[in-house]
Protein backbone atom coordinates (compact mmCIF):
# COMPACT_ATOMS: atom_id res chain seq x y z
CA UNK A 1 0.00 0.00 0.00
CA UNK A 2 1.08 3.55 -0.72
CA UNK A 3 0.21 6.57 1.43
CA UNK A 4 -0.22 9.87 -0.39
CA UNK A 5 -0.77 13.45 0.69
CA UNK A 6 -4.49 14.19 0.66
CA UNK A 7 -3.88 17.44 -1.23
CA UNK A 8 -2.19 15.49 -4.04
CA UNK A 9 -5.27 13.27 -4.19
CA UNK A 10 -7.37 16.37 -4.92
CA UNK A 11 -8.73 17.06 -1.46
CA UNK A 12 -8.83 20.79 -0.54
CA UNK A 13 -6.83 20.41 2.69
CA UNK A 14 -3.83 22.71 2.13
CA UNK A 15 -3.40 25.62 4.52
CA UNK A 16 -5.30 27.90 2.12
CA UNK A 17 -8.10 25.42 1.39
CA UNK A 18 -6.79 24.31 -2.00
CA UNK A 19 -5.47 21.06 -3.40
CA UNK A 20 -2.55 20.14 -5.67
CA UNK A 21 -4.22 17.30 -7.52
CA UNK A 22 -1.86 15.03 -9.45
CA UNK A 23 -3.22 12.59 -12.03
CA UNK A 24 -0.69 9.89 -11.14
CA UNK A 25 -1.86 10.07 -7.50
CA UNK A 26 -5.51 10.02 -8.58
CA UNK A 27 -4.78 6.83 -10.53
CA UNK A 28 -3.36 5.18 -7.42
CA UNK A 29 -6.40 6.16 -5.34
CA UNK A 30 -8.88 4.91 -7.97
CA UNK A 31 -6.96 1.63 -8.28
CA UNK A 32 -7.15 1.23 -4.48
CA UNK A 33 -3.36 1.09 -4.29
CA UNK A 34 -3.08 4.25 -2.20
CA UNK A 35 -4.65 5.84 0.84
CA UNK A 36 -4.71 9.62 1.33
CA UNK A 37 -3.45 11.19 4.56
CA UNK A 38 -2.93 14.75 5.74
CA UNK A 39 -0.47 14.94 8.63
CA UNK A 40 -1.58 18.48 9.47
CA UNK A 41 -5.24 17.51 9.80
CA UNK A 42 -4.20 14.43 11.77
CA UNK A 43 -2.30 16.77 14.09
CA UNK A 44 -5.43 18.77 14.84
CA UNK A 45 -5.41 21.61 12.32
CA UNK A 46 -8.43 22.71 10.31
CA UNK A 47 -8.68 24.04 6.76
CA UNK A 48 -8.02 26.81 6.03
CA UNK A 49 -5.26 27.59 8.50
CA UNK A 50 -2.44 30.04 8.86
CA UNK A 51 0.74 29.24 6.92
CA UNK A 52 3.57 27.78 9.01
CA UNK A 53 7.28 27.23 8.44
CA UNK A 54 10.07 25.48 10.27
CA UNK A 55 12.28 27.96 12.10
CA UNK A 56 15.80 27.04 13.15
CA UNK A 57 16.38 23.93 11.06
CA UNK A 58 14.48 21.10 9.40
CA UNK A 59 11.98 18.42 10.35
CA UNK A 60 14.77 16.35 11.85
CA UNK A 61 15.66 19.26 14.11
CA UNK A 62 12.01 19.65 15.11
CA UNK A 63 11.92 15.98 16.16
CA UNK A 64 15.17 16.49 18.09
CA UNK A 65 13.72 19.54 19.87
CA UNK A 66 16.15 22.08 18.39
CA UNK A 67 13.80 23.76 15.85
CA UNK A 68 10.16 24.81 15.89
CA UNK A 69 7.22 25.08 13.53
CA UNK A 70 5.83 28.60 13.73
CA UNK A 71 2.78 30.14 12.12
CA UNK A 72 3.17 33.41 10.28
CA UNK A 73 1.61 35.27 13.25
CA UNK A 74 4.26 33.78 15.56
CA UNK A 75 2.26 31.01 17.26
CA UNK A 76 4.33 27.89 17.99
CA UNK A 77 2.52 24.87 16.52
CA UNK A 78 5.38 22.39 16.83
CA UNK A 79 3.42 19.96 18.99
CA UNK A 80 0.63 19.70 16.40
CA UNK A 81 3.11 18.94 13.61
CA UNK A 82 4.78 16.27 15.72
CA UNK A 83 1.39 14.77 16.63
CA UNK A 84 0.40 14.64 12.95
CA UNK A 85 3.70 13.00 12.03
CA UNK A 86 3.21 10.26 14.62
CA UNK A 87 -0.40 9.70 13.51
CA UNK A 88 0.82 9.34 9.92
CA UNK A 89 3.51 6.88 11.03
CA UNK A 90 0.85 4.85 12.87
CA UNK A 91 -1.29 4.65 9.72
CA UNK A 92 1.72 3.73 7.58
CA UNK A 93 2.56 0.87 9.93
CA UNK A 94 -1.05 -0.33 10.14
CA UNK A 95 -1.28 -0.45 6.34
CA UNK A 96 2.24 -1.83 5.88
CA UNK A 97 2.94 1.09 3.56
CA UNK A 98 6.07 0.58 1.52
CA UNK A 99 6.10 4.01 -0.09
CA UNK A 100 4.75 7.40 0.91
CA UNK A 101 4.29 10.25 -1.58
CA UNK A 102 4.07 13.65 0.11
CA UNK A 103 3.76 17.27 -1.02
CA UNK A 104 7.12 18.95 -1.51
CA UNK A 105 7.96 22.16 0.42
CA UNK A 106 5.43 21.59 3.21
CA UNK A 107 6.66 21.85 6.83
CA UNK A 108 5.08 18.42 7.33
CA UNK A 109 5.60 16.72 4.03
CA UNK A 110 8.59 18.24 2.26
CA UNK A 111 11.00 15.48 1.26
CA UNK A 112 13.94 17.52 0.01
CA UNK A 113 12.92 21.20 0.17
CA UNK A 114 11.17 23.31 2.83
CA UNK A 115 10.61 27.02 3.32
CA UNK A 116 13.36 28.69 5.33
CA UNK A 117 11.25 30.06 8.20
CA UNK A 118 11.22 33.72 7.12
CA UNK A 119 7.85 33.65 5.28
CA UNK A 120 9.51 35.27 2.27
CA UNK A 121 8.90 32.36 -0.12
CA UNK A 122 12.53 31.19 0.06
CA UNK A 123 13.26 27.48 0.16
CA UNK A 124 16.20 25.54 1.56
CA UNK A 125 17.29 21.94 1.44
CA UNK A 126 15.57 19.97 4.17
CA UNK A 127 12.63 17.77 4.99
CA UNK A 128 9.39 18.29 6.84
CA UNK A 129 8.51 16.80 10.22
CA UNK A 130 6.45 13.86 8.90
CA UNK A 131 9.01 12.94 6.26
CA UNK A 132 11.80 13.02 8.85
CA UNK A 133 9.86 10.72 11.19
CA UNK A 134 8.88 8.26 8.45
CA UNK A 135 12.45 8.06 7.19
CA UNK A 136 13.69 7.43 10.73
CA UNK A 137 11.46 4.38 10.62
CA UNK A 138 12.89 3.25 7.25
CA UNK A 139 9.82 4.19 5.24
CA UNK A 140 10.55 5.49 1.72
CA UNK A 141 9.22 8.99 1.14
CA UNK A 142 9.09 10.73 -2.24
CA UNK A 143 7.79 14.07 -3.40
CA UNK A 144 5.11 14.13 -6.07
CA UNK A 145 7.71 15.13 -8.67
CA UNK A 146 10.12 12.36 -7.67
CA UNK A 147 7.30 9.84 -7.81
CA UNK A 148 6.13 11.00 -11.26
CA UNK A 149 9.72 10.67 -12.53
CA UNK A 150 9.98 7.12 -11.16
CA UNK A 151 6.73 6.08 -12.84
CA UNK A 152 7.71 7.78 -16.10
CA UNK A 153 11.07 5.96 -16.24
CA UNK A 154 9.61 2.53 -15.65
CA UNK A 155 7.06 1.17 -18.14
CA UNK A 156 6.24 -1.63 -15.71
CA UNK A 157 5.65 0.79 -12.82
CA UNK A 158 3.62 3.04 -15.09
CA UNK A 159 1.38 0.14 -16.14
CA UNK A 160 1.08 -1.17 -12.58
CA UNK A 161 0.05 2.17 -11.09
CA UNK A 162 -2.34 3.06 -13.88
CA UNK A 163 -4.31 -0.20 -13.63
Amino acid sequence: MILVSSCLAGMPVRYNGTSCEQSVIQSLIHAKKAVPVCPELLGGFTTPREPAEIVGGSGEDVLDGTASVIEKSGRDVTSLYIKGAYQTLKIAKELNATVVVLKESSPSCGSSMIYNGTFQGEQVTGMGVTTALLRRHSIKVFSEEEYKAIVKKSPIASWFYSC
Side-chain angles (χ1 to χ4, degrees), residues 21-162:
E21 186 175 333
Q22 300 283 314
S23 60
V24 68
I25 301 300
Q26 280 289 341
S27 296
L28 291 171
I29 298 287
H30 291 301
K32 299 190 182 335
K33 292 182 171 81
V35 173
V37 295
C38 177
E40 293 169 14
L41 294 183
L42 291 170
F45 287 100
T46 58
T47 302
R49 57 189 166 276
E50 192 172 352
E53 295 184 7
I54 297 173
V55 175
S58 69
E60 291 178 309
D61 300 311
V62 170
L63 294 174
D64 293 339
T66 60
S68 302
V69 185
I70 307 295
E71 290 181 330
K72 191 171 185 176
S73 66
R75 182 173 79 125
D76 187 325
V77 289
T78 304
S79 63
L80 296 174
Y81 276 80
I82 292 172
K83 177 183 175 186
Y86 276 96
Q87 290 296 324
T88 303
L89 174 64
K90 179 181 175 189
I91 292 167
K93 287 183 172 185
E94 288 172 355
L95 296 175
N96 294 315
T98 55
V99 171
V100 179
V101 182
L102 298 176
K103 178 69 183 114
E104 190 66 275
S105 306
S106 158
S108 287
C109 300
S111 61
S112 62
M113 299 296 290
I114 55 172
Y115 288 98
N116 70 358
T118 64
F119 296 94
Q120 300 297 312
E122 298 173 19
Q123 293 187 24
V124 295
T125 300
M127 63 183 96
V129 179
T130 299
T131 295
L133 183 64
L134 294 173
R135 286 182 175 163
R136 283 184 178 185
H137 288 266
S138 301
I139 296 173
K140 294 176 187 168
V141 180
F142 299 98
S143 73
E144 67 277 20
E145 294 304 319
E146 291 170 320
Y147 188 74
K148 283 195 310 190
I150 290 167
V151 170
K152 189 175 183 178
K153 285 181 185 177
S154 171
I156 294 172
S158 180
W159 173 83
F160 177 75
Y161 292 119
S162 65

